[in-house]
């Protein structure tokens, strides 16, 4: 690298190439969605914490999924809203690397949590008599702690590999947040090692977990079809269907983004996919779990009933 090249200390996020008036409309719409994401996931987390009937391994995993979804939104959406209002406002190099690190960490953690949730459903349906032994609280806490640790460690590997690269210009990232592939395009050095590690991570954290989820649900489907009771079969399908919806949305969009062949206009299409992956998925998850899960709806009704009784001053039934 030549000595007269200036190292980059900040980036400009180009965001969406649209009319400024449309930016204002998008800012209002995305602000509404952002609020709904935080309220929805916060409600799910609060219900699980407050309702003792939801103190089970499945809802323990779901509470961590809600935390990850809120963290996803808080990591990318505020910066995106700021850029919609002021496209020329830069983000510091340290802030960009932090955003990349957190996005990758939460993505890895969500992948692993979805695998844990599918394994939990597999044990509950295929080995119900041994469920409390296999999915003990000690095991659940260990699995969740391992997921968080692996997620942050894998993200740290990616960021360390980025930090070894020189960035000497240009300083414009063609994205609405510091997405790792978009950042690598600005590096003034060979990024083949970074891309190999990203591909290996995709195989390890996307393809591998997805295969485990599919294997779990194959066993679950076989077990459900053996259930004689129509009511029991319906309850089992209902319990698993919401999780399958989340798995399909998350893994489908992630694999298309990182492993599908690039099209003629990859950058603009990838922005839309990332918008769905990092914004709409966290917003839809609480909606899916609340509308398709009778226990969550029951917990919400009990919480609202308790709140209304306390406001009116009526005694609660024992």
């Amino acid at each position: 690298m030549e000595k007269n090249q200036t190292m980059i200390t900040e980036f400009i996020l180009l965001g969406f190439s649209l009319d400024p008036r449309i930016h204002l409309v998008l800012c209002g719409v995305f602000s509404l969605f952002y609020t709904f994401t935080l309220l929805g996931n916060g409600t799910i987390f609060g219900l699980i914490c407050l309702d003792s009937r939801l103190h089970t391994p499945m809802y323990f995993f779901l509470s961590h999924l809600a935390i990850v979804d809120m963290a996803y939104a808080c990591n990318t959406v505020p910066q995106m809203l700021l850029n919609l209002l002021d496209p020329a406002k830069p983000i510091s190099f340290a802030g960009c690397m932090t955003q990349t690190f957190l996005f990758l960490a939460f993505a890895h953690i969500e992948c692993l949590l979805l695998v844990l949730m599918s394994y939990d459903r597999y044990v509950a349906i295929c080995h119900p008599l041994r469920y409390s032994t296999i999915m003990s609280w000690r095991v659940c806490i260990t699995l969740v702690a391992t997921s968080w640790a692996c997620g942050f460690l894998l993200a740290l590997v990616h960021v360390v590999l980025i930090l070894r690269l020189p960035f000497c210009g240009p300083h414009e990232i063609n994205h609405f947040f510091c997405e790792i592939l978009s950042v690598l395009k600005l590096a003034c050095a060979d990024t083949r090692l970074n891309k190999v590690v990203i591909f290996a991570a995709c195989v390890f954290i996307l393809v591998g977990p997805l295969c485990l989820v599919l294997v779990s649900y194959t066993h679950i489907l076989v077990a459900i079809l053996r259930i004689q009771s129509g009511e029991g079969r319906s309850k089992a399908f209902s319990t698993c269907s919401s999780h399958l919806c989340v798995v399909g949305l998350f893994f489908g969009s992630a694999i298309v983004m990182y492993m599908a062949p690039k099209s003629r206009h990859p950058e603009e299409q990838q922005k839309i996919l990332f918008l769905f992956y990092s914004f709409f998925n966290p917003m839809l998850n609480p909606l899916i779990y609340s509308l398709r899960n009778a226990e969550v709806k029951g917990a919400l009704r009990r919480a609202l009933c308790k709140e209304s009784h306390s406001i009116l001053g009526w005694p609660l039934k024992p």
Side-chain angles (χ1 to χ4, degrees):
M1 185 169 56
E2 296 180 6
K3 293 182 179 179
N4 62 350
Q5 288 181 316
T6 303
M7 299 303 293
I8 289 177
T9 58
E10 59 185 26
F11 295 105
I12 297 291
L13 295 169
L14 297 181
F16 304 98
S17 303
L18 299 170
D19 186 90
R21 289 173 295 182
I22 299 178
H23 279 193
L24 291 176
V25 175
L26 288 178
C27 185
V29 173
F30 290 161
S31 296
L32 186 63
F33 288 169
Y34 178 53
T35 303
F36 182 82
T37 299
L38 297 182
L39 287 176
N41 285 287
T43 299
I44 293 287
F45 179 75
L47 288 174
I48 293 171
C49 290
L50 297 174
D51 196 316
S52 59
R53 301 184 194 186
L54 300 182
H55 291 175
T56 63
M58 181 177 76
Y59 293 106
F60 176 66
F61 296 141
L62 180 56
S63 68
H64 282 267
L65 184 65
I67 293 172
V68 170
D69 283 340
M70 286 189 286
Y72 252 134
C74 292
N75 181 46
T76 57
V77 178
Q79 183 67 46
M80 180 179 65
L81 297 177
L82 187 62
N83 288 342
L84 287 171
L85 294 174
D86 185 5
K89 189 173 181 62
I91 180 172
S92 67
F93 183 86
C96 190
M97 291 300 102
T98 301
Q99 192 178 60
T100 302
F101 170 74
L102 292 176
F103 178 83
L104 292 172
F106 296 138
H108 296 151
I109 294 166
E110 182 151 355
C111 285
L112 297 174
L113 286 176
L114 291 174
V115 174
L116 295 183
M117 293 173 74
S118 68
Y119 178 68
D120 173 76
R121 291 302 84 206
Y122 161 74
V123 176
I125 293 173
C126 299
H127 303 284
L129 299 179
R130 298 171 55 200
Y131 179 76
S132 59
T133 302
I134 297 174
M135 300 302 294
S136 65
W137 280 112
R138 183 177 180 180
V139 170
C140 292
I141 292 171
T142 302
L143 290 173
V144 167
T146 303
S147 298
W148 281 86
C150 287
F152 279 107
L153 285 174
L154 286 170
L156 185 61
V157 170
H158 288 297
V159 172
V160 168
L161 289 176
I162 293 176
L163 292 175
R164 73 184 178 86
L165 299 171
F167 291 86
C168 50
H171 69 292
E172 294 179 336
I173 298 175
N174 190 14
H175 219 295
F176 60 86
F177 78 105
C178 292
E179 192 272 324
I180 185 169
L181 294 178
S182 299
V183 172
L184 288 176
K185 290 178 182 178
L186 305 185
C188 305
D190 188 2
T191 60
R192 280 179 294 182
L193 176 60
N194 298 74
K195 292 177 180 178
V196 168
V197 173
I198 290 171
F199 182 80
C202 286
V203 174
F204 174 72
I205 210 73
L206 283 178
V207 178
L210 181 58
C211 290
L212 292 175
V213 171
L214 293 177
V215 168
S216 296
Y217 273 95
T218 300
H219 288 286
I220 288 171
L221 181 61
V222 172
I224 289 175
L225 293 176
R226 291 176 180 171
I227 297 176
Q228 301 296 325
S229 167
E231 183 181 351
R233 191 182 299 125
S234 176
K235 184 178 180 181
F237 270 120
S238 176
T239 303
C240 298
S241 60
S242 57
H243 181 243
L244 275 176
C245 289
V246 174
V247 167
L249 288 171
F250 182 84
F251 282 98
S253 54
I255 288 174
V256 167
M257 281 187 305
Y258 284 104
M259 306 196 75
K262 307 303 178 187
S263 63
R264 293 180 182 178
H265 308 286
E267 292 180 343
E268 294 304 316
Q269 291 180 3
Q270 283 185 8
K271 287 179 191 178
I272 297 173
L273 283 171
F274 269 103
L275 194 64
F276 186 83
Y277 178 72
S278 62
F279 193 6
F280 292 115
N281 268 3
M283 183 183 69
L284 291 173
N285 284 356
L287 197 63
I288 292 170
Y289 279 110
S290 61
L291 291 181
R292 300 185 63 85
N293 192 300
E295 290 178 317
V296 172
K297 287 189 287 186
L300 182 59
R301 282 195 298 268
R302 288 191 295 271
L304 293 175
C305 183
K306 183 177 180 180
E307 183 67 21
S308 63
H309 278 71
S310 64
I311 291 173
L312 294 173
W314 294 347
L316 294 174
K317 294 181 180 180

